Amino acid sequence: MKLNENNLKIAIQKSGRLTEPTIELLQRSGFEFEAYGRQLFATCRNFPLEFLFLRDDDIPEYVQDGVCALGIVGSNVIEEKGAQVKRLERLGFGKCRLSLAVPVAEKVKDLTWLKGKMIATTYPKILRRFLEETGISASILEVNGSVEIAPTLAMAEAICDLVSTGTTLRMNGLCVLETIMESEAELIGCPSLLNESKNKLIVERFLMRIRGVLVARRNKYVMMNAPATALDDIRAVLPGLKSPTVVPLADSDMIAVHSVVPEDRFWEVIERLKQVGASGILVLPIEKMIL
Ligand code: PRP
Ligand code: ZN
């Protein structure tokens, strides 16, 4: 297999927390490719795109330098690397927090405890900025991995690391003292390559497909029956994405109403629909949604 130089390149994490959801998003967006094992790249069968599997820490620089036009990586890595990339889209997965954590046994109450202490991290840049902003003078021990073990080994008194479920902290007798940043997977692009006329159209087509899936994931398709007299109340409850579809039923006093409801307001909307007389409410996932 050979890399096609004319194709757009997208960098994705080779193995880690973002790998599986990234591949899932791309495949659901209609890009067909094989992603198995140890290979470094894959070619898309139905779009002029090459996938490069890289270490997440390398992705911002590869995109900044134009080795890849696009990349998918966590906000935490983008911030730490300080790369000059265009942040195109938040992807809604790989959510975690970059937090300061301390031993539970120390019963630490506030940030001032950190004064004069040593903090181990793989995110020295973000941590330094935070310490400067909060005026806390602590030392930073830069490590490459297994940060959570540093307090046990007496290499540091605190750590600054990613927390997702919190299991790693708990297993090491640590707890969160403060969250420095929220992170999720983001789509980034190389500013100069995105502007090249030969890439523009294809990047736009790529974005439309990805966004079609992202928007669909954030919404549900809702169908319900209701007395025709309840239509005004139902319209008032439905969030105004689009005018709802109203279909007459065999029973002329009744109508069916179809609409799209955002996931984050979903239960609130359903409860209010029931209150104004809707019944037989059906909720369907949306495969794709192009605005
Ligand atoms: C992070 C972090 C912890 C773990 C926390 O590493 O360094 O080890 O995840 O997750 P938890 O709260 O669910 O236990 P990650 O797997 O992201 O690898 P990386 O930072 O080396 O890329
Ligand atoms: Zn990493």
Side-chain angles (χ1 to χ4, degrees):
M1 206 158 52
K2 215 169 146 296
L3 211 77
N4 183 337
E5 283 307 320
N6 295 320
N7 285 354
L8 210 64
K9 289 172 202 64
I10 180 164
I12 62 186
Q13 190 182 25
K14 190 175 165 59
S15 69
R17 77 166 77 224
L18 300 185
T19 308
E20 211 181 298
T22 297
I23 291 169
E24 206 259 341
L25 170 66
L26 290 165
Q27 290 182 335
R28 189 164 286 259
S29 302
F31 303 109
E32 293 173 8
F33 63 103
E34 308 307 331
Y36 43 62
R38 310 258 125 227
Q39 60 183 2
L40 286 174
F41 68 90
T43 302
C44 190
R45 275 195 293 273
N46 57 351
F47 201 83
L49 197 60
E50 305 279 338
F51 305 90
L52 272 81
F53 300 94
L54 302 172
R55 256 167 43 105
D56 62 345
D57 311 66
D58 293 335
I59 292 176
E61 278 143 71
Y62 272 64
V63 173
Q64 168 189 273
D65 299 345
V67 178
C68 297
L70 298 165
I72 291 179
V73 69
S75 333
N76 55 311
V77 183
I78 304 170
E79 293 281 336
E80 179 63 26
K81 299 296 168 187
Q84 299 301 306
V85 294
K86 187 146 193 245
R87 296 168 84 152
L88 295 166
E89 198 72 54
R90 291 180 159 267
L91 301 176
F93 60 83
K95 289 192 180 178
C96 54
R97 295 173 300 279
L98 184 65
S99 301
L100 280 162
V102 291
V104 180
E106 296 284 346
K107 300 194 166 54
V108 181
K109 297 220 166 43
D110 55 64
L111 284 172
T112 55
W113 183 85
L114 292 172
K115 274 205 182 109
K117 302 277 196 315
M118 180 70 82
I119 309 170
T121 190
T122 50
Y123 297 89
K125 246 195 201 156
I126 300 176
L127 176 57
R128 187 164 303 117
R129 196 169 61 203
F130 176 81
L131 292 174
E132 276 165 17
E133 280 167 11
T134 47
I136 289 163
S137 54
S139 308
I140 298 173
L141 175 68
E142 187 175 345
V143 293
N144 286 322
S146 304
V147 184
E148 59 278 356
I149 204 79
T152 309
L153 300 179
M155 295 158 68
E157 280 105 346
I159 68 165
C160 168
D161 199 15
L162 289 185
V163 182
S164 171
T165 58
T167 312
T168 306
L169 290 189
R170 261 194 307 281
M171 286 189 339
N172 289 279
L174 302 166
C175 60
V176 171
L177 176 61
E178 177 95 357
T179 291
I180 298 184
M181 76 171 284
E182 307 271 342
S183 179
E184 71 182 278
E186 287 189 44
L187 177 69
I188 55 173
C190 169
S192 58
L193 285 181
L194 294 187
N195 273 330
E196 275 182 23
S197 53
K198 73 172 167 61
N199 293 333
K200 263 193 169 148
L201 182 64
I202 184 151
V203 169
E204 246 167 60
R205 289 173 58 213
F206 175 85
L207 282 174
M208 185 169 85
R209 294 181 190 203
I210 295 279
R211 285 176 179 146
V213 172
L214 293 174
V215 177
R217 278 183 182 172
R218 293 195 284 261
N219 291 279
K220 294 270 180 270
Y221 194 76
V222 177
M223 306 194 283
M224 73 209 83
N225 292 341
T229 50
L231 182 58
D232 285 346
D233 288 340
I234 288 177
R235 289 192 66 159
V237 170
L238 289 171
L241 183 73
K242 251 202 210 156
S243 171
T245 305
V246 181
V247 189
L249 294 181
D251 174 348
S252 65
D253 295 337
M254 295 290 286
I255 50 169
V257 181
H258 297 192
S259 188
V260 169
V261 175
E263 179 86 71
D264 56 353
R265 293 194 46 205
F266 180 71
W267 283 112
E268 171 203 333
V269 171
I270 297 295
E271 281 160 16
R272 290 175 61 201
L273 286 172
K274 284 201 70 165
Q275 281 163 14
V276 297
S279 60
I281 303 174
L282 290 184
V283 181
L284 284 78
I286 301 171
E287 162 93 17
K288 304 221 170 40
M289 193 165 148
I290 320 296
L291 297 175

